[in-house]
Amino acid sequence: MSPSPDDIRQWDAAHVWHPFTQMREYLETEPLVVERAEGNYLIDDRGRRLFDGTSALWCNLLGHRVPEIDAAITQQLGRFAHTTLLGTTHPAVAELARRLVEVAPAGLNHVFFSDNGATAVEAALKMAFQFRLLTQGKQAAERAVYLSLGNAYHGDTLGAAAVGGVELFHDIFKPILLPSLKTPSPYCYRCPIGKTPDNCSIDCADELEKALQSAEGRICAVILEPGVQAAAGMLTLPRGFLSRAAAACRAHDALLILDEVATGFGRTGTMFACEREDVTPDVLCVAKGLTGGYLPVAATLVTDRVYEAFLGRYDEYRHFFHGHTYTGNALGCAAALATLGLLSDGTIIGAVEQKARALSEALQPIATHRHVGDIRHAGLMCGIELVADRTTKVPFAPGDRNGYRICLLLRDRGIFLRPLGDVIVLMPPLSSTDVELRHLAASVSAAIVDHFGA
Ligand SMILES: Cc1ncc(COP(=O)(O)O)c(C=O)c1O
């Protein structure tokens, strides 16, 4: 006999510890129990259909139950589900590596697989350190540090958190994090170096250049999220910042690691956000959308120069000392191949810009609301920053939980969203239609008015 909805609620309440969640508050609210999903909608145990405006926390690209992805997984399951990449290979992983190299910026020819955004970043950071050791020797490696941005988010494992810069997530763990250097975030709405759009020439890029300069060659890698600092509240980077950062890395012999875990696979309107400034990094991290949001597969892509530094005789021990059990999981690789297949003719990604415009236009009426401070967009990544006072940009007290309460109201309007503090995040699947996007925008606007008044 299958468990009743009440059993599920009871077991969830008694045993499941949800991530990034104050469990006391969670237990006081009605849980959303997803029973099925179809296309861009979640269907709960009460039969309600909710538009998934979070894309399953930013990973679902093409909706749920996509026939091509379902079939690819089923077909792979008929062969085997998983084996190891330590000593063996298999068709799905080899083909996926080739396809990733084809779609990535030219020159990223080698793919190291793992299983999540944070693990792709951990691999990148360790590669950068070992690359420094292999190319410059022990003394240089012992002095090596990473440079990252304020407001950065690269995942929650210790290495990824060390290069993070979101105070709320990272500060409490500081005592156990590797020291790393930080440079100001390109957060234009609240510029950390006090610039305004009319007196700024991307001065935060000067700060990054200065940090590299004053570290006198110690920085082995600069890591950043191109296009959008997503988890900090969808902070869109000014155009030109990335190419300045890339040039500074080259000038100071630091590797450039780009974290496209959130922005990759079309979210910003190009396959990767770094294409918008024609930047090819030394190391590229991808995850989330790679499998269409079906299964945890991540990849760290590197150039020949990085890869070849690790080659040598076995007993020189130059190989990369890193790996995970589920690396190259065959079911995940099959899902990723099907996803890349669906993206391959460019139609889906090619439509993102126009869909983003439809979303942006539909949000215009709420843009002047007294508690809407800023609306930021890069393709189908959008953040609406709520403020106590639009003129002074003073934020609300965190305990007010305006973003959260507005998202709860949205459930009654058939929309599922999860905010980042007082930033309402809209990250709908690329498969969303214009009608759905307009409905999403209208529902969010209505919920803001319901909550605050007109
Ligand atoms: C830019 C970026 N990097 C890394 C991560 C971590 O990915 P995961 O949660 O799969 O470990 C995220 C997650 O949101 C992210 O946005």
Side-chain angles (χ1 to χ4, degrees):
M1 205 175 72
S2 48
S4 73
D6 285 343
D7 288 336
I8 303 295
R9 282 154 194 265
Q10 202 187 321
W11 297 339
D12 177 64
H15 305 299
V16 182
W17 189 347
H18 291 260
F20 277 103
T21 299
Q22 174 44 257
M23 288 306 294
R24 179 172 291 169
E25 183 187 71
Y26 175 81
L27 295 174
E28 285 164 0
T29 48
E30 179 70 6
L32 177 57
V33 183
V34 177
E35 219 172 56
R36 288 178 302 120
E38 275 172 13
N40 304 326
Y41 294 84
L42 308 174
I43 298 152
D44 79 356
D45 60 352
R46 313 238 145 119
R48 284 188 305 175
R49 284 169 66 83
L50 290 107
F51 179 77
D52 184 2
T54 70
S55 292
L57 232 288
W58 315 350
C59 64
N60 186 288
L61 280 187
L62 306 169
H64 299 273
R65 304 302 319 272
V66 179
E68 292 86 343
I69 308 179
D70 288 5
I73 295 172
T74 311
Q75 210 177 44
Q76 179 60 46
L77 198 51
R79 297 186 192 126
F80 64 92
H82 179 70
T83 176
T84 178
L85 284 199
L86 279 76
T88 72
T89 191
H90 59 81
V93 79
E95 190 179 349
L96 178 58
R98 180 184 66 83
R99 289 287 294 127
L100 274 170
V101 167
E102 273 171 11
V103 298
L108 293 161
N109 290 333
H110 308 276
V111 186
F112 188 89
F113 285 101
S114 60
D115 49 28
N116 259 299
T119 55
V121 168
E122 291 291 329
L125 295 172
K126 285 175 75 179
M127 277 172 189
F129 171 81
Q130 197 176 334
F131 178 80
R132 172 71 38 123
L133 176 72
L134 294 170
T135 55
Q136 296 187 19
K138 204 158 173 251
Q139 243 184 351
E142 278 167 2
R143 298 171 61 237
V145 284
Y146 304 105
L147 176 67
S148 59
L149 268 54
N151 284 320
Y153 179 78
H154 299 291
D156 292 323
T157 51
L158 289 179
V163 290
V166 181
E167 255 171 52
L168 183 65
F169 304 163
H170 300 125
D171 269 19
I172 48 170
F173 296 109
K174 238 184 196 157
I176 54 166
L177 299 179
L178 274 177
S180 78
L181 302 178
K182 304 278 185 248
T183 182
S185 159
Y187 181 10
C188 300
Y189 179 64
R190 298 182 188 280
C191 177
I193 52 173
K195 295 283 167 176
T196 56
D198 37 306
N199 74 1
C200 172
S201 359
I202 322 186
D203 299 60
C204 47
D206 293 346
E207 298 293 320
L208 185 145
E209 285 157 8
K210 278 189 230 155
L212 276 158
Q213 178 90 41
S214 55
E216 296 176 337
R218 288 177 60 217
I219 295 171
C220 64
V222 174
I223 178 164
L224 60 94
E225 298 155 85
V228 188
Q229 290 194 296
M234 298 291 151
L235 315 182
T236 47
L237 272 56
R239 197 176 173 81
F241 179 86
L242 181 60
S243 24
R244 294 266 303 273
C249 285
R250 274 194 303 277
H252 295 277
D253 200 18
L255 295 182
L256 176 63
I257 303 172
L258 292 185
D259 176 352
E260 295 240 18
V261 168
T263 50
F265 306 106
R267 286 282 172 197
T268 68
T270 45
M271 181 61 87
F272 295 106
C274 61
E275 289 168 35
R276 295 185 164 267
E277 295 196 29
D278 257 333
V279 165
T280 298
D282 302 287
V283 184
L284 176 71
C285 303
V286 297
K288 288 194 188 279
L290 170 57
T291 62
Y294 267 61
L295 285 160
V297 175
T300 308
L301 284 80
V302 301
T303 57
D304 292 345
R305 173 175 166 246
V306 173
Y307 175 77
E308 283 165 9
F310 287 74
L311 302 180
R313 257 193 356 256
Y314 171 81
D315 59 1
E316 288 178 276
Y317 300 123
R318 297 177 77 88
H319 45 288
F320 184 38
F321 287 94
H322 187 87
H324 297 282
T325 306
Y326 281 99
T327 293
N329 175 265
L331 295 179
C333 291
L337 278 169
T339 303
L340 292 180
L342 290 166
L343 298 179
S344 64
D345 72 0
T347 316
I348 293 169
I349 296 179
V352 167
E353 246 171 59
Q354 176 272 321
K355 288 183 189 202
R357 258 197 314 279
L359 180 64
S360 165
E361 280 164 22
L363 285 169
Q364 275 320 298
I366 202 69
T368 50
H369 187 280
R370 66 202 150 91
H371 291 304
V372 172
D374 193 25
I375 302 186
R376 302 181 278 267
H377 279 276
L380 285 175
M381 298 175 79
C382 171
I384 304 172
E385 183 163 338
L386 304 171
V387 287
D389 186 324
R390 191 179 149 76
T391 321
T392 59
K393 303 186 184 176
V394 169
F396 285 110
D400 294 355
R401 310 221 57 200
N402 290 293
Y404 168 75
R405 284 157 61 202
I406 289 168
C407 290
L408 277 188
L409 286 178
L410 277 162
R411 291 192 193 177
D412 296 329
R413 294 179 175 273
I415 307 277
F416 175 65
L417 287 184
R418 183 173 165 94
L420 284 160
D422 276 335
V423 177
I424 298 180
V425 173
L426 312 185
M427 189 127 159
L430 308 193
S431 48
S432 311
T433 63
D434 284 12
V435 172
E436 287 170 335
L437 293 171
R438 288 203 187 94
H439 179 65
L440 172 65
S443 307
V444 170
S445 306
I448 290 175
V449 171
D450 282 353
H451 180 66
F452 290 123

